[in-house]
Amino acid sequence: MTAMTQLEAQSLPRHVAIIMDGNGRWAQRQGKPRVWGHKKGVEAVRRSVSFCRELGIQSLTLFAFSSENWRRPEDEVSTLMQLFLMVLQSEVKTLHKHNVRLKIIGDLSAFSDKLRASIAQAEQLTADNTALTLNIAANYGGRWDMVNAARELAKQVGQGVLDAQQIDEQLFAKQVQMHDQPELDLLIRTGGDLRISNFLLWQVAYAELWFTETLWPDFDQQVFSEAIAAFVNRERRFGCTGEQVRQLALQAKG
């Protein structure tokens, strides 16, 4: 995408990603088990999907379960898997009704056959929907994503269908997750931590970052609106100077 086309599209983000952090801490502050926070977090997911549909945002990517989350206590991981399966089965019809396409990104090989079957059914049911693409990152890691892309390119080189000298950013980008969707514009992290945690490392290259102390179960349209407002008010330069950006903006308008 050229600087001109990026600037022409610069208003609302087309693709928003959220690191949904703080479920466990939210539950502990309520004097409840950490699992309670994960269940309440589902309500924040519903609010966020609805808000993105209202704004006309094209893609929403949610970090549900990282490749590092397997290190958590076994009972919590087990409950998260059960919750993931339950939500898939209970929410997919609603997503379909509202014209939302569901995509699960990540290494699904570690999941049970039952969960993988539910994922496949949900993706198939919603495949032709166009109002919003909801990406759920499950057993996902940014480094895994890039290594996976590198392996695919290496395979093509080994088969003789690609010369190593042909590999550039554009070819690499076509192998990472969500390559067929708009580039990531805005990355939000709830819960107060100021890090990316191995999430969308390739895709985040020129995204705006926005952090909030709000814990995920409390993330609502008001907080989401603050993130969108911050994005709209930032000057995105894409490697240009501020003066170049303003000149390109004037050209786009005229």
Side-chain angles (χ1 to χ4, degrees), residues 20-44 47 72 76 190-192 213-220 223:
M20 307 180 293
D21 198 15
N23 287 330
R25 283 174 285 158
W26 184 91
Q28 289 170 341
R29 291 178 186 180
Q30 313 296 318
K32 297 182 181 295
R34 289 175 55 86
V35 173
W36 180 256
H38 294 304
K39 292 179 179 178
K40 290 295 290 184
V42 175
E43 297 176 13
R47 291 194 295 265
R72 293 190 175 189
E76 183 174 349
T190 65
E213 295 285 339
T214 303
L215 302 179
W216 177 246
D218 292 327
F219 189 81
D220 56 16
V223 184

Side-chain angles (χ1 to χ4, degrees):
M1 181 183 289
T2 66
M4 175 65 81
T5 54
Q6 285 173 315
L7 286 166
E8 288 174 347
Q10 183 178 333
S11 52
L12 291 176
R14 296 183 304 157
H15 189 167
V16 177
I18 306 177
I19 299 175
M20 307 180 293
D21 198 15
N23 287 330
R25 283 174 285 158
W26 184 91
Q28 289 170 341
R29 291 178 186 180
Q30 313 296 318
K32 297 182 181 295
R34 289 175 55 86
V35 173
W36 180 256
H38 294 304
K39 292 179 179 178
K40 290 295 290 184
V42 175
E43 297 176 13
V45 170
R46 293 192 190 106
R47 291 194 295 265
S48 297
V49 171
S50 176
F51 188 62
C52 285
R53 284 193 69 257
E54 290 176 15
L55 289 183
I57 290 170
Q58 296 177 39
S59 293
L60 172 64
T61 302
L62 303 177
F63 204 7
F65 190 85
S66 77
S67 50
E68 289 78 24
N69 284 155
W70 295 106
R71 303 170 187 167
R72 293 190 175 189
E74 186 177 345
D75 59 339
E76 183 174 349
V77 171
S78 176
T79 301
L80 281 170
M81 292 299 103
Q82 293 174 15
L83 181 61
F84 189 18
L85 179 61
M86 181 192 73
V87 170
L88 264 178
Q89 294 173 337
S90 65
E91 300 292 325
V92 66
K93 289 183 179 180
T94 301
L95 292 174
H96 186 49
K97 177 182 177 182
H98 290 96
N99 198 23
V100 175
R101 179 174 70 139
L102 179 66
K103 293 287 291 182
I104 309 299
I105 65 170
D107 182 4
L108 307 186
S109 63
F111 295 147
S112 68
D113 292 343
K114 185 176 182 180
L115 181 52
R116 289 202 302 270
S118 290
I119 289 171
Q121 291 171 4
E123 289 185 333
Q124 183 177 5
L125 176 65
T126 63
D128 296 327
N129 293 339
T130 57
L132 169 71
T133 296
L134 173 62
N135 304 292
I136 302 295
N139 195 26
Y140 175 89
R143 291 178 176 177
W144 166 86
D145 196 357
M146 290 191 286
V147 168
N148 202 46
R151 283 176 177 161
E152 179 56 35
L153 290 173
K155 178 181 176 182
Q156 293 179 31
V157 171
Q159 293 172 339
V161 298
L162 179 68
D163 188 282
Q165 297 303 316
Q166 295 176 284
I167 299 174
D168 56 16
E169 288 187 16
Q170 287 70 36
L171 272 180
F172 191 91
K174 289 180 180 178
Q175 302 301 328
V176 298
Q177 302 283 295
M178 304 184 298
H179 60 85
D180 58 337
Q181 298 180 42
E183 290 188 16
L184 182 62
D185 291 315
L186 173 63
L187 174 64
I188 299 169
R189 179 170 186 144
T190 65
D193 287 335
L194 307 179
R195 55 178 176 267
I196 299 176
S197 296
N198 194 24
F199 186 44
L200 301 178
L201 296 181
W202 176 268
Q203 296 87 342
V204 80
Y206 278 101
E208 295 295 317
L209 309 182
W210 193 83
F211 301 94
T212 176
E213 295 285 339
T214 303
L215 302 179
W216 177 246
D218 292 327
F219 189 81
D220 56 16
Q221 289 193 359
Q222 180 177 343
V223 184
F224 206 157
S225 295
E226 292 172 7
I228 298 295
F231 173 87
V232 169
N233 288 316
R234 290 181 187 178
E235 181 179 75
R236 305 184 73 203
R237 294 190 291 273
F238 304 104
C240 300
T241 66
E243 181 59 30
Q244 287 175 309
V245 167
R246 287 186 284 275
Q247 290 177 356
L248 286 168
L250 288 173
Q251 292 174 23
K253 290 179 181 178

